[in-house]
Structure formats: structure tokens, C-alpha cells
């Protein structure tokens, strides 16, 4: 009897331990969810809001736990946000830098903690490029090229004429600002070589990618009496273009006719303006980065850092006054 009791106890214990072990394994897989720290630079545009949403939803749909921080366009704040991810020991950091310079020290901290960093949208300039795993975003230079190409095509029939461009630039020390400028200049210069028409940048003024600042910059330009000689406004983003259009309301200039307007992002409002003939060319900047970020993280987790290319481009297009508007896909930003 005593012996039988001992057996029963042993079997019971075995069963219990077995059950417990099984339970623990199950718990491990669920409690061990991958945590991603996502530091966004701000909420300055509809484009940016869509960009944030796209990344958060794609990562969450995939089952990742996302800790999201908004840097409110303040680099110090973004650095603190990234530091909090490091303290929390997240599995990966997704980071959309406000500007290009000033990230070496914090990325060094992330590297020390062995946390991979996925840079999205704007670029970072760091002395050691191994401080980030990859950069995922648009080709800003191609966007500038597309804008320049529209302008040179638009004026291609004209000869012996000088076309003056006013460039409304985004935030300084950011790759979209630098590369959009570079891409635009590259394309208009090519046309110059053909001697059809001279397209020149009359002035470049900054609006920091912000609607209000874009409006103020154009208002000042108008007050200075310089707007009348301008044929083309090349604006680095739609928010500033909306500001510029508001400023132009106080003048006789008819946007889209007296002033050719080329703008970047392709927010819904700007596509509506294109259809109405208020702007002439809208270069798309694709905010739907989420799926690319998710794929890169998945691949990194499955195959390691060596399986990730240093640069991952998102696809983009261009919409202009000479196209069939029914071909424009619905905008969700
Ligand atoms: O064009 C603009 C946003 O960095 C590419 O930032 C991004 C730019 C985008 O504020 O609308």
C-alpha cells in the first residue's frame, strides 16, 4: 500500500513538473515578444503623420510590441527617446532622424548595448557607418530630378528665354533638402546644355518643411517686391506649398498659370489642387515605409545583419498637369 502511494506521488509529481515545464515554454514564446523602439522626428505634416501610422501599424500587425516616441522636432528630445529605448533593452530601434548631424554619441550607446538601428526617411551622417544597420527611405535625389525634369519639359518649346525659379527649401541639414536641391539643379542644367532655354535658380529661401514658415517666407519675398520676376516655384514639400498659396492670395499672381508650381509629397490636398490647375506638378514622396521596415526587421531576425542591404529604397512616382488624373491612386495622407 505504502509502495503504491509512493508510485502515485511520483507519477503525480512527474505530471505536475511536466505540465509546469510545458506551461513555461508556452509562456516564454508569448512573453518574449520582440520589442521595437520607434523614435519619430515630429508631426509637422500630413505626410509625416501617415509615415508614423504606416510604420506602427505594419509592425504591430506583425506581432511586434512597439514603443513609440514623438521627438516634436527637437533633436535633444529624440536623443533622450533613443536612450530610453536602450535602457529598456529593446530588441531593435527604428529611428527617423530630424536632421543629419549629431547622432554619433547616441548611436554609439546603442551599439554598445548591441541593439540594431534601422534609420528611416532622412539620413544620418556618422563617422562610423556601422553604427546603423540600414537606411530605408525614398531617393530624394530622384525626387529633385523629377521636379527639374517637369520644369525643363514645360519650357522646352521656348528659346532665348530665361526662366527664374524660386526654391522654397525644407529644413537645413537634412538629406531631403540637400538632395532635392541637387537633383533639381542637375536636371535643369542638362537642359541648359541643349540651349533651349535658360532655367536658373533666382533665389532659395527656407520654410523648414512647415506650412506657417513657408507662408512667412513667401510673404516676405512678396513684400520685398521680388515675386514678379519669378516664373516657377519649386517647393520641397506640400505643407509649405499650402502656406505659399495662402501668401499668394494677396497678389495678382494666378498660381498654376502666371506661376508654375512644382511641389513634393503628393498629399491629398495637393492632388486636389493639381486637378484644379492651381499647381502643375506633384512629385510623390512615399510615406508608406511600414512594410519595408517590417520586412527588414523580419529578415534581420531570421538571417542576421549580413542579410540586410545598407540602403533600401521605397518606390515613388510623379503626377503632373499633362496626365490622365483618373490614373492617380487614392491618397491616404
Ligand atoms: O517631404 C515632408 C516632411 O523627410 C521626406 O519631411 C521627409 C519630409 C517630407 O515633413 O513633408
Amino acid at each position: 500500500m505504502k509502495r503504491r502511494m509512493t508510485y502515485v506521488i511520483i507519477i503525480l509529481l512527474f505530471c505536475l513538473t511536466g505540465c509546469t515545464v510545458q506551461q513555461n515554454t508556452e509562456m516564454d514564446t508569448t512573453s518574449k515578444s520582440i520589442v521595437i523602439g520607434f523614435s519619430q522626428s515630429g508631426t509637422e505634416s500630413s505626410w509625416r503623420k501617415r509615415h508614423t501610422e504606416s510604420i506602427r501599424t505594419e509592425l504591430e500587425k506583425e506581432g511586434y510590441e512597439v514603443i513609440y516616441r514623438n521627438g516634436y522636432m527637437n533633436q535633444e528630445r529624440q536623443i533622450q527617446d533613443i536612450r530610453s529605448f536602450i535602457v529598456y533593452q529593446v530588441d531593435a530601434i527604428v529611428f527617423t532622424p530630424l536632421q543629419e548631424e549629431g547622432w554619433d554619441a547616441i548611436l554609439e550607446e546603442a551599439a554598445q548595448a548591441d541593439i540594431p538601428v534601422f534609420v528611416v526617411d532622412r539620413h544620418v551622417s556618422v563617422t562610423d557607418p556601422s553604427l546603423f544597420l540600414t537606411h530605408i527611405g525614398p531617393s530624394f535625389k530622384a525626387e529633385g530630378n523629377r521636379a527639374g525634369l517637369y520644369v525643363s519639359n514645360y519650357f522646352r518649346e521656348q528659346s532665348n528665354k530665361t526662366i527664374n525659379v524660386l526654391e522654397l527649401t525644407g529644413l537645413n541639414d537634412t538629406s531631403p533638402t540637400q538632395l532635392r536641391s541637387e537633383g533639381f539643379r542637375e536636371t535643369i542644367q542638362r537642359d541648359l546644355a541643349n540651349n533651349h532655354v535658360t532655367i536658373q535658380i533666382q533665389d532659395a529661401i527656407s520654410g523648414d518643411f512647415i506650412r506657417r514658415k513657408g507662408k512667412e517666407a513667401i510673404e516676405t519675398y512678396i513684400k520685398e517686391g521680388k515675386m514678379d520676376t519669378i516664373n516657377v516655384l519649386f517647393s520641397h514639400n506640400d505643407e509649405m506649398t499650402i502656406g505659399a498659396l495662402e501668401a499668394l492670395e494677396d497678389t495678382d499672381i494666378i498660381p498654376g498659370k502666371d506661376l508654375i508650381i512644382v511641389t513634393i509629397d503628393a498629399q491629398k490636398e495637393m492632388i486636389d489642387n493639381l486637378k484644379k490647375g492651381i499647381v502643375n506638378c506633384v512629385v510623390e514622396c512615399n510615406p508608406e515605409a511600414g512594410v519595408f521596415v517590417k520586412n527588414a526587421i523580419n529578415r534581420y531576425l531570421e538571417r542576421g545583419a549580413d542579410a540586410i542591404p545598407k540602403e533600401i529604397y521605397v518606390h515613388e512616382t510623379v503626377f503632373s498637369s499633362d496626365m490622365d488624373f483618373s490614373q492617380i491612386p487614392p491618397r491616404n495622407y
Side-chain angles (χ1 to χ4, degrees):
M1 180 70 186
K2 214 174 163 195
R3 233 200 197 152
R4 204 185 283 156
M5 256 319 260
T6 323
Y7 277 139
V8 170
I9 289 171
I10 289 174
I11 287 169
L12 259 177
L13 269 177
F14 184 77
C15 217
L16 273 177
T17 359
C19 292
T20 324
V21 168
Q22 206 185 342
Q23 240 180 24
N24 273 346
T25 341
E26 270 167 22
M27 268 175 63
D28 268 348
T29 43
T30 42
S31 66
K32 231 181 164 190
S33 76
I34 305 282
V35 182
I36 314 235
F38 171 26
S39 160
Q40 177 59 282
S41 55
T43 36
E44 74 281 7
S45 57
S46 299
W47 184 95
R48 177 75 55 202
K49 289 175 196 150
R50 181 64 213 142
H51 187 252
T52 304
E53 237 172 67
S54 161
I55 295 173
R56 287 184 78 171
T57 35
E58 283 299 330
L59 293 180
E60 278 164 2
K61 255 188 352 205
E62 196 68 3
Y64 295 127
E65 193 183 314
V66 180
I67 307 177
Y68 168 71
R69 293 276 182 280
N70 182 349
Y72 295 101
M73 294 194 73
N74 178 323
Q75 185 175 34
E76 262 321 297
R77 198 168 173 149
Q78 253 198 305
I79 290 174
Q80 291 310 328
D81 291 342
I82 296 174
R83 189 164 289 129
S84 74
F85 298 154
I86 298 171
V87 172
Y88 192 85
Q89 294 185 315
V90 296
D91 297 285
I93 292 173
V94 172
F95 157 50
T96 299
L98 174 68
Q99 61 193 57
E100 218 167 316
E101 304 286 336
W103 305 105
D104 291 74
I106 190 68
L107 294 190
E108 193 70 60
E109 287 177 36
Q112 294 287 326
D114 230 359
I115 302 174
V117 175
F118 296 75
V119 177
V120 189
D121 177 23
R122 300 175 186 173
H123 296 75
V124 289
S125 165
V126 280
T127 35
D128 174 5
S130 74
L131 288 178
F132 65 95
L133 189 63
T134 182
H135 170 259
I136 303 169
S139 165
F140 300 124
K141 183 125 180 246
E143 293 170 351
N145 283 158
R146 289 178 191 126
L149 198 61
Y150 177 83
V151 175
S152 40
N153 276 342
Y154 187 92
F155 293 102
R156 73 180 176 282
E157 303 297 340
Q158 312 193 9
S159 51
N160 298 323
K161 197 172 172 183
T162 300
I163 301 298
N164 293 324
V165 178
L166 172 62
E167 186 179 21
L168 183 54
T169 63
L171 189 69
N172 280 336
D173 187 32
T174 66
S175 54
T177 298
Q178 283 151 18
L179 294 168
R180 285 170 183 173
S181 281
E182 214 178 293
F184 186 82
R185 280 165 178 71
E186 196 179 76
T187 325
I188 57 169
Q189 261 164 28
R190 281 217 185 112
D191 206 59
L192 212 161
N194 287 333
N195 219 4
H196 292 310
V197 66
T198 305
I199 301 171
Q200 63 178 26
I201 313 271
Q202 179 83 354
D203 277 308
I205 53 178
S206 179
D208 290 354
F209 288 126
I210 291 170
R211 184 186 298 208
R212 177 183 48 82
K213 291 198 182 173
K215 183 177 178 182
E216 284 165 8
I218 298 293
E219 272 170 355
T220 312
Y221 202 75
I222 294 169
K223 274 198 203 113
E224 288 167 352
K226 297 182 186 161
M227 202 65 202
D228 294 337
T229 59
I230 299 297
N231 309 99
V232 175
L233 172 67
F234 167 41
S235 163
H236 283 205
N237 87 340
D238 288 349
E239 292 290 336
M240 294 190 298
T241 309
I242 297 167
L245 288 170
E246 284 169 14
L248 286 167
E249 279 169 14
D250 298 333
T251 69
D252 297 336
I253 301 165
I254 305 175
K257 294 199 172 59
D258 303 334
L259 179 69
I260 299 308
I261 300 183
V262 182
T263 175
I264 302 185
D265 273 354
Q267 295 180 180
K268 186 180 179 312
E269 190 172 355
M270 208 44 72
I271 294 297
D272 292 343
N273 283 338
L274 177 71
K275 291 177 180 168
K276 289 184 208 144
I278 297 169
V279 300
N280 308 75
C281 175
V282 181
V283 176
E284 185 187 43
C285 180
N286 183 359
E288 310 291 343
V291 74
F292 298 88
V293 174
K294 173 199 77 179
N295 286 344
I297 292 178
N298 285 351
R299 196 173 162 89
Y300 166 78
L301 293 173
E302 281 161 21
R303 305 215 205 152
D306 290 346
I308 309 295
K310 198 73 191 174
E311 185 73 52
I312 299 173
Y313 288 108
V314 304
H315 56 274
E316 302 184 314
T317 186
V318 57
F319 309 111
S320 53
S321 50
D322 45 5
M323 77 177 287
D324 172 4
F325 293 146
S326 67
Q327 300 297 311
I328 303 180
R331 320 306 298 162
N332 50 4
Y333 61 103

